[in-house]
Amino acid sequence: MTRKKRVRAGTVVGHTGAILWSALALIPFALIVLLAFKSNTDIYTDPLGLIGVDWRPENFSEAWNGAPGGQGFAVYLLNSAVVTSIAIAGCLLVGALTAYFATLASTRVRLLIVRLFLVATTLPLIMLLIPYYTAFNALDLLGSPWALGVLYIALCLPTCVLILHSFYLGFPSELAEAASIDGLGRFQTFVRIVLPLSKGPIVAVGMINAFFVWGETQLAIVLLQSPSSRTIPVGLLDFKGQFASNTGAIFAGLTLATIPLIIVYLIFNRTITKGVALGGVFR
């Protein structure tokens, strides 16, 4: 096989893999949207069928109005927005500072910081439920979305620090030296030089953590017990009872819950791409 044919074959294999991987990522979301329009009977008897199906677009209005005894979807959406905003803002602020100044420390201190955050990523979330519940109960914070947002800062911080630390290790020292010659201190250099140039990685890390916080359920179920404080994943569980469940409304609610994430991704898509490219130049 000539070199030209090998390159062409490699391109075909690469494109095929990319298409298959994209389909694998899109199929679950497409399935959720499909089930959101179906009745309970069709969901269980013919989940993939398109012909002869009892289509129920009213699942979306039921999801928006909320289950009996619960709150409307708008309340859950607001609570999720509060929790996610606090978690991501705090995580990125503390994480970027920690990651950058860790790279300026001695090798021993830097490795110690990285290993501590690395160990934190290995802790299963289920192990933290009882300690967190005890602390929230003692502080009378059960049912407080903003308190849960602060808690998520601690949970998102290890991922944020580890990713940004890798990025800042390749940050060109010439820029910091030039800023120092111009009279900027380390913190001013971080704010005026480093942060603007690391906007892409910061947005990417923020989105990774936002996906986690937006869909997190284990902690939210335990710590947000009043109906008015629930986030979207917990609020949608009201549609599932002991003897009956409105599965179509649950899938409709999941579809509605995905829309804000898609909008945010479309807004920051170019920033992420530029940030990844900038990181490649640095290295």
Side-chain angles (χ1 to χ4, degrees):
M1 182 182 290
T2 63
R3 182 178 180 277
K4 187 175 181 179
K5 288 183 177 179
R6 287 199 300 270
V7 171
R8 185 177 299 173
T11 303
V12 171
V13 172
H15 287 175
T16 304
I19 292 172
L20 291 176
W21 183 253
S22 300
L24 194 64
L26 290 175
I27 284 175
F29 179 69
L31 188 59
I32 289 174
V33 175
L34 176 63
L35 297 180
F37 287 94
K38 290 190 171 185
S39 63
N40 278 357
T41 304
D42 288 328
I43 288 175
Y44 291 108
T45 58
D46 190 15
L48 300 180
L50 297 174
I51 301 175
V53 175
D54 179 20
W55 298 106
R56 292 191 81 252
E58 56 267 32
N59 285 339
F60 286 89
S61 61
E62 293 174 2
W64 183 263
N65 294 327
Q71 299 288 319
F73 190 85
V75 174
Y76 304 143
L77 183 65
L78 178 61
N79 290 333
S80 288
V82 169
V83 171
T84 306
S85 300
I86 293 175
I88 302 307
C91 163
L92 293 180
L93 178 63
V94 179
L97 274 169
T98 306
Y100 177 69
F101 284 97
T103 61
L104 302 181
S106 64
T107 303
R108 178 176 297 180
V109 174
R110 182 174 62 80
L111 291 178
L112 177 62
I113 294 173
V114 170
R115 286 168 182 166
L116 285 175
F117 282 106
L118 196 59
V119 170
T121 62
T122 63
L123 292 176
L125 198 58
I126 193 72
M127 288 181 57
L128 305 174
L129 284 178
I130 294 178
Y132 283 150
Y133 176 81
T134 304
F136 270 57
N137 190 34
L139 297 173
D140 197 21
L141 292 175
L142 289 175
S144 174
W146 68 265
L148 182 62
V150 173
L151 175 60
Y152 282 138
I153 293 176
L155 295 177
C156 295
L157 201 55
T159 304
C160 181
V161 170
L162 291 175
I163 294 178
L164 292 180
H165 171 265
S166 299
F167 174 76
Y168 288 138
L169 276 180
F171 199 86
S173 58
E174 294 82 1
L175 293 177
E177 293 172 359
S180 177
I181 293 174
D182 290 339
L184 296 181
R186 285 187 172 181
F187 185 75
Q188 290 175 313
T189 301
F190 173 73
V191 174
R192 296 187 181 184
I193 306 296
V194 176
L195 272 185
L197 291 177
S198 54
K199 187 168 60 176
I202 287 177
V203 171
V205 172
M207 291 204 62
I208 292 172
N209 286 315
F211 290 147
F212 161 71
V213 174
W214 191 263
E216 203 284 324
T217 308
Q218 287 180 322
L219 282 174
I221 288 177
V222 176
L223 302 179
L224 298 178
Q225 298 183 350
S226 63
S228 61
S229 66
R230 290 171 181 165
T231 54
I232 293 175
V234 184
L236 292 179
L237 292 179
D238 289 340
F239 285 104
K240 188 174 181 60
Q242 184 176 1
F243 301 106
S245 62
N246 190 347
T247 311
I250 293 176
F251 282 111
L254 292 175
T255 304
L256 293 174
T258 310
I259 294 175
L261 293 178
I262 294 176
I263 294 175
V264 171
Y265 177 79
L266 292 177
I267 292 174
F268 292 106
N269 182 35
R270 287 188 176 181
T271 305
I272 296 172
T273 306
K274 288 180 181 178
V276 173
L278 186 60
V281 172
F282 283 169
R283 283 163 177 74

